[in-house]
Structure formats: structure tokens, C-alpha cells
Amino acid sequence: MRISRTNSARLAIAVCLIGAGIPALGQDSPESLLPPGFNDPATPRPRPTSPGGLTLNPATLGRPAAAPTPAPTPLPGATPAAVDGEVVDPVVAAVLADAQAAAAVRAAEAYARALSAHRSLDTVGVAGPQQGALAPDAFRGVDGIYVEELMRRLNAPIASRWLSMALRKTLVSRLDTPARVNGADFAAERAWLLVRMGESVSGRAVAQSVDPENYTPKLYNALMQAGLATGDPGAFCPVADKAAAVARERGWVVAKSICAALAGQPATQLLAANEKAGAARGIDMLLAKKVAGMGARGRQAVTIEWDSVEQLTAWRIGMALASGTDIPDTLIATVNPRVQAWRALSPMVDVRARIAPADYAAARGVLSNAAMVDLYGALDNDDDQASAELGIARDLRTAYSAGTRAERMTALTGLWDEPKTADGRYARLILTARAAARLPLDTEGADVDRLVKAMLSAGLDRSALRWSGKADKGGDAWAMLALADLDLGARYTMGDVNGYSGKDDSDGLKRRMLFAGLAGLGRLSREDISSGAESLGVRIGAENSWTQAIDRAARNNQPGLVVLLAATGMQTTQWRGVPPEVLYRTISAMRAVGLGGQARMIAAEAIARL
């Protein structure tokens, strides 16, 4: 179903009023309403050239450094789990629904919070193990100050889609609060990291997992950011009065007036007083008035003109999302790319306008295969029969089931060949993952390499492994299937590694990544690991504070810390910025703490995206 602008406005009123019973997120600075790094140019960060560039000194983070330790070995019973498909976290479920379903989810959340008043700060989060999240003791024995500092320093997004999804699962989990930190502050750091990753919906949910009476200044700030990232001013309302008095942030002063309007009170005079006091002026106040005008007693029509605006802020984006106001692409291009993920998740943005942002979001794990298919499915009923997006939707339908085997393969090839950017190409693999899985093995002219890439992009490992007999020995599909294999006893040799001739591997990086992945998964002998490290120049034995920290976390069976440190090691936007040594340590540590399924997918992703 296409979401019209009229329906979007109606939904906004419903969502905001429902949200009046839900907690909200805050900002970092009372002066700018601009998160740190929010206006960073949209350019890739320089990549590290060696593991030495990823040093992390635990001694400076509230934890003493330990002596060098060998690479971790799997704990008893810690076997690689099957993946066979992305698991969508409950907090992201609203992304997969249309406008009415999203409103229903919000209503259910509000009702659940009403029933769970006075929640303890000893354990805070959204999802439990029964929903696929980590166990509450995932940070067992870890210093909370150390964990918070790691989250605060992490520069998102990271290179790996699958590691990003593992990090999201960690951050939304219902976790025991580590020692030496407040539970509300712990939730705030998690929520703010999720927002920086583009995971606006998850960030809001984590912030709202704390009761309003337990909020701290840090959590007010985090709630403001998540509320703006989701375009949900209703999230501010349960704490707006107290936040305006405690946080002393001008955004909360205006939010208090907006909440009064959404509750049906006349807020014209309140906003006028805010403007006179300098809380907001110009475009900031006009956007606030437009959102306030969506309340039950809203009377004022507000027209937004962007011509004089040179810079976007979190406030401007959040208010625009909430009111269904289009933002010029020229302005969107000036801010951090994470904003694209926020837009892709927003039901207030027109479906067609979410297509380009969806590619960015999918490539970074924010949107799943199911979410991407649903997005294009909504376009399929669009009135504009000539749109390019609708053509993609039709090809997608053909690829899934509407054509012969040859027609389906042709449709897949066309969908894969069309994008011009790396994000776009990988997003198309994610979009077509289940269409690839439905293709019969005897399809003539099947592009096995890209079929396997597509299936593994969405975690369809069992479906991909069906194609093992069709994969050319030493090709990309063979390498990815060797890494994704569910067989714990699978073993390979350096002869297999040296026989790999991956596509576009002129500098041998893909071969080194294959070696690192197989070594980390325990699929090479010790002798082959030693000889391969020397012959390929992969310094898997190198020691620094990061390797020591992640090895220690694996040895102590601290899966939450392992995932967080792994993400710290992959702080680059491109896979070419990830040294093979980092991949090896990441895979080894994740396998040791029982996250073998995600480890296999990360290793296969390295081949798919280089």
C-alpha cells in the first residue's frame, strides 16, 4: 500500500498521541541541537593499514591491561550456530509494516510500558534470549565504565553488515547493568550508539526501556536524539516537563510546548514565548509550529521554505520527518550518511523517497531482506506506471516466481547489474536473496557466484550450500561456501587457499581474507596457519591492546564485550579497510563465545564485498 502524504499526516497525529505515553531521547548540546559528528562530510574514513592502527589501551578505559594472550579457543559447547536467514529484532518490527501497523505497534508498546511500571535498573533492555537476543549476563564481570567508554568512542558505521547486526542485537538485549555505572546511563550509551549506527527505531526502544522517573541527564540527551532520528516528537512527552527543568536544553523547552499541543492544549502562546525567549527561531520554530499544528486543536497552516537554510541539524531533520516535510537532497547530502538510514526507517517518508536511502540502510544491516521486499512491494501498487522504481518491483516479482527459470535468472542478472554504487550492488543482493534461494539447481546459465552472494547476504546458508556442487573449485562461490559451511568438521589446506583465484583480486586481499576466515573458524591445521601467515604476510600473531582485550573477553566468555570490541576493530566504511588480522581475531573470538553462526557470515561477507 502506498502511503499518501494525507495518510502520513493522519498517521503522525495518531502516532504522536499514542506516543504521549512513551519515554523519549535527548541532545548533546544546549547550543546547537547537533549531535557530535552529525554534520561530518559524507566521505569514507581513512582505513587502518595494520592492526597497530586499531590500538586500544584498556588501562585508559578504567581496566588494567593484561599480558599478551594467545588467540582464543572455543569454549566447551560453543559451536557455530546455524543462521539460515536474518532474524529481525522485535524492536525493528515496525520497519516491516505499513503505516497502520506501525501505529498499532506503538500502541502495544505503550500498553506494555503501562503494565511494567517501576522496572528495575539492574537489568535494562528490550529483547530477551527467547527473542534471539543475548543472555542478560553477556557483559559478566566487565567494568561498566570500560564498556561505556568503548561505546562512546565507537565510530559508526562499521564495515561488516553482519557484525553490525550482531552489535544491534547486543545493544537491544535485556542486559544486566555492569558494575560502576547507572542502569539509565548504560541504556543511554546503548541508545546513542544505535542512533549513530542508523538504528533509530532500536535506539528509541532502548531509551524507552527505562521508566521516566529513573531518567538521568545522559538519558534525556539520548532520548532527544532517538526521538528526532525517528521523527517521533510524541516520544518526548512522558519526560518533557522534567527534562525541560533538569536538562536545561533549549530543545526540551520547545518539546514541552509541542507535547502540550499534541495533548490537545492550545500551544500558540507557549511557542510564541519560546520564540521570544530565544529557544528556537526561524526554520527551527516554523518546523516546531508545524508539528504542534498536528495536534487535536491545531489551527495554524505552516509553509516550510528551505532556501535560506545552509545546514541541517538533528532538530530540523526530526521535525521534518514528524511533519512529513520534504527536505531537499542538496541538504541531505551535507550530513552524516546515517540520516539515510533514519529516512529509510521512517513511515512518514513517501515510499518512493525511501528507495535510495534503503540501499544504504540494507548494506549496513539496518534493513533486512524482508523489509526491502516489502518496500518494493508497496511500490508495486503505485499509480505511476512509468516509474523506474516500479520497473524494479516488476523485475523483482519476475525473479521470485512470475517467470520461467531462464526469465527469473535474467531478471536477477538485470537487478544485479543496474546499480552504480557498491552499496546499491550489495543492497540488490540482499533484496533478491530469497528469489535466489528459490531458483532450481538445474537453471541454465545460473550465475553461481552471485546467487551464493545473494543468499548469504541474508543468512540463507542452507539454501546456499545446495549449490556447492555447482561452484567452481577455487572461485568466489566455493570460497564463500567453505566459510559458510555448517559442518564443524570441515577442513581445508593451504593448497586450497593458494588455489583460490577470486574475481577482482589483483592484490591478493581476498585470498588473505579467505585464509584469515578459515583460520579463525578452525578449518586449517596449526601447521597451515603458521605457514600461511608467513607466506601471505598475515600477522595473525601480532599483539596490541585490542588483540589482548578481545582475546581476554573470549577467554572469559563475555559475548557482549567480544561483539563490541570486534566492532571497534572494524571502524571503517569499506571492507578494504579491514586488515585480515582483524578478521581472524574477530572470527576466533566470536566462535569461542558461541556466536559461530554470525562469525561464518562475517567471514563469507568479506569475500562477497571485496
Side-chain angles (χ1 to χ4, degrees):
M1 179 186 74
R2 185 182 181 191
I3 304 174
S4 70
R5 189 64 64 196
T6 301
N7 286 339
S8 294
R10 290 173 179 166
L11 170 65
I13 296 173
V15 169
C16 291
L17 292 179
I18 290 170
I22 305 174
L25 286 166
Q27 283 178 277
D28 287 346
S29 166
E31 297 303 322
S32 67
L33 289 173
L34 191 69
F38 178 83
N39 208 40
D40 291 346
T43 55
R45 295 187 295 274
R47 67 185 182 91
T49 56
S50 72
L54 297 168
T55 56
L56 175 69
N57 187 355
T60 67
L61 301 178
R63 185 186 183 100
T69 56
T73 55
L75 298 174
T79 58
V83 176
D84 199 29
E86 298 170 318
V87 177
V88 181
D89 292 324
V91 294
V92 192
V95 176
L96 309 180
D98 62 16
Q100 292 179 346
V105 169
R106 294 294 310 282
E109 290 177 347
Y111 180 69
R113 288 184 180 87
L115 294 179
S116 59
H118 307 297
R119 290 167 292 190
S120 171
L121 291 177
D122 292 341
T123 302
V124 177
V126 178
Q130 67 275 16
Q131 293 144 331
L134 298 188
D137 62 350
F139 285 96
R140 65 180 67 87
V142 183
D143 186 340
I145 295 176
Y146 176 56
V147 174
E148 287 194 354
E149 188 68 19
L150 284 174
M151 289 191 285
R152 194 175 304 120
R153 289 187 179 192
L154 203 154
N155 193 5
I158 59 177
S160 170
R161 176 177 192 266
W162 276 96
L163 181 54
S164 185
M165 290 191 292
L167 180 58
R168 177 186 65 205
K169 180 182 291 188
T170 298
L171 297 174
V172 302
S173 296
R174 196 171 295 117
L175 299 171
D176 294 340
T177 300
R180 297 214 297 160
V181 295
N182 176 278
D185 286 345
F186 185 48
E189 294 289 359
R190 291 154 60 187
W192 177 221
L193 176 52
L194 284 163
V195 169
R196 301 199 312 272
M197 292 166 59
E199 300 279 2
S200 54
V201 174
S202 298
R204 180 186 62 190
V206 170
Q208 293 175 336
S209 66
V210 175
D211 290 333
E213 62 268 23
N214 290 329
Y215 267 50
T216 60
K218 185 186 292 188
L219 188 52
Y220 286 131
N221 289 340
L223 182 57
M224 175 68 78
Q225 297 298 347
L228 292 172
T230 53
D232 179 16
F236 303 150
C237 299
V239 298
D241 288 348
K242 187 176 180 181
V246 174
R248 295 183 180 179
E249 210 284 339
R250 59 193 180 106
W252 280 112
V253 175
V254 181
K256 181 179 177 180
S257 300
I258 291 174
C259 289
L262 296 177
Q265 302 173 26
T268 303
Q269 292 181 342
L270 291 174
L271 289 170
N274 295 160
E275 188 171 17
K276 184 177 180 180
R281 294 190 177 96
I283 190 82
D284 297 327
M285 180 53 70
L286 287 174
L287 286 165
K289 289 179 178 178
K290 187 165 186 176
V291 173
M294 297 162 62
R297 299 184 65 175
R299 294 289 185 270
Q300 187 177 9
V302 180
T303 300
I304 303 297
E305 299 288 348
W306 297 98
D307 294 344
S308 62
V309 177
E310 298 180 354
Q311 183 184 52
L312 285 178
T313 64
W315 179 267
R316 292 168 184 174
I317 285 186
M319 294 294 106
L321 288 175
S323 60
T325 302
D326 292 330
I327 302 174
D329 290 340
T330 53
L331 281 175
I332 290 291
T334 66
V335 297
N336 193 292
R338 73 173 69 103
V339 175
Q340 299 290 11
W342 300 353
R343 297 175 70 213
L345 289 171
S346 174
M348 299 302 296
V349 176
D350 183 78
V351 174
R352 185 175 294 137
R354 291 165 61 191
I355 293 296
D359 284 350
Y360 173 89
R364 281 151 189 80
V366 177
L367 290 185
S368 67
N369 160 264
M372 291 288 284
V373 172
D374 283 354
L375 187 58
Y376 278 96
L379 280 172
D380 204 19
N381 296 322
D382 198 297
D383 295 332
D384 185 355
Q385 298 299 306
S387 72
E389 296 90 352
L390 185 55
I392 296 172
R394 288 171 175 164
D395 288 344
L396 185 63
R397 184 172 61 241
T398 299
Y400 267 84
S401 61
T404 64
R405 296 177 184 181
E407 289 171 339
R408 289 159 61 187
M409 189 66 242
T410 299
L412 285 171
T413 301
L415 288 167
W416 295 334
D417 287 344
E418 188 270 337
K420 305 302 181 185
T421 66
D423 281 352
R425 289 189 291 271
Y426 193 61
R428 288 292 174 85
L429 293 172
I430 297 166
L431 174 67
T432 57
R434 283 182 168 78
R438 293 165 65 95
L439 205 65
L441 291 174
D442 58 356
T443 300
E444 186 176 352
D447 185 340
V448 179
D449 282 351
R450 288 198 287 187
L451 286 170
V452 169
K453 284 182 182 180
M455 286 180 272
L456 292 181
S457 74
L460 302 175
D461 47 4
R462 290 188 175 91
S463 297
L465 287 165
R466 292 190 305 113
W467 290 82
S468 296
K470 302 289 184 177
D472 293 335
K473 180 70 181 291
D476 279 346
W478 170 84
M480 288 183 287
L481 292 173
L483 293 165
D485 198 341
L486 291 116
D487 182 4
L488 298 178
R491 293 294 182 270
Y492 296 84
T493 67
M494 277 307 298
D496 296 319
V497 174
N498 290 328
Y500 170 51
S501 54
K503 185 178 179 182
D504 301 323
D505 191 30
S506 58
D507 61 355
L509 179 58
K510 291 172 75 171
R511 180 178 295 172
R512 295 195 295 275
M513 287 297 203
L514 173 62
F515 165 74
L518 290 175
L521 290 170
R523 295 181 178 179
L524 293 173
S525 68
R526 290 182 179 273
E527 292 75 15
D528 276 343
I529 291 175
S530 177
S531 64
E534 182 175 357
S535 63
L536 295 175
V538 179
R539 300 172 60 245
I540 61 175
E543 293 286 344
N544 57 42
S545 57
W546 178 79
T547 64
Q548 294 166 16
I550 197 168
D551 289 352
R552 181 172 55 246
R555 187 172 60 249
N556 293 338
N557 192 21
Q558 297 163 332
L561 185 56
V562 164
V563 171
L564 189 54
L565 286 166
T568 300
M570 290 198 187
Q571 292 180 95
T572 175
T573 57
Q574 304 294 332
W575 264 101
R576 284 200 164 273
V578 179
E581 302 92 315
V582 171
L583 179 66
Y584 166 73
R585 295 282 182 165
T586 295
I587 299 305
S588 298
M590 292 184 70
R591 186 170 67 97
V593 295
L595 300 176
Q598 291 93 325
R600 290 184 294 110
M601 293 301 102
I602 293 168
E605 182 189 351
I607 303 299
R609 300 187 72 173
L610 284 172

